[in-house]
Each structure stands twice: as structure tokens, then as C-alpha cells.
Amino acid sequence: GFSAHADQRGLVSFAEQTRRQGPLQQIFLVHGEVPAQTALAGQLAAAGFTRVVAPAPGERARLVP
């Protein structure tokens, strides 16, 4: 998981390294305040990650292998 409170550059770098190992279909931002999540989502989008989601509190997502 990612934390929007951590170093955003480091998180984008981690996502890029993970993508190099295989397909990275979607990123969920599940921690942090909305402005930090929005900023991180923008940086991820600029790095080519098109499916970045920040679910609302209580929202559920189904993860499939």
C-alpha cells in the first residue's frame, strides 16, 4: 500500500519499480488527507499511471487476481 503522507517522489519511484516487474493494473490510495492524495495521484498520472483511485471512507473495492 501507499501512504500519501510519505515522500511522494519515493512512492512514485516505488510504483515505477513495481511496474517494471509486471503489469500494475490499479493503485489505491487509502491513507492520507485528500490534498496529499490528490497531489500524489497527479504525480502518478504524470508518470503514466492511469488507474489511480482514492476510495471514500467505507467504500469497497473488489480485488481479483
Side-chain angles (χ1 to χ4, degrees):
F2 290 102
S3 169
H5 288 292
D7 174 50
Q8 292 180 2
R9 190 175 320 168
L11 291 170
V12 173
S13 176
F14 176 77
E16 290 172 332
Q17 290 172 19
T18 301
R19 177 170 55 188
R20 284 187 214 109
Q21 295 176 19
L24 185 59
Q25 301 207 4
Q26 191 164 15
I27 296 174
F28 289 88
L29 304 178
V30 297
H31 183 75
E33 297 176 3
V34 173
Q37 287 182 341
T38 301
L40 178 55
Q43 289 186 20
L44 288 163
F49 295 94
T50 58
R51 296 187 65 199
V52 179
V53 178
E59 185 176 349
R60 293 178 178 217
R62 184 167 183 232
L63 305 177
V64 293

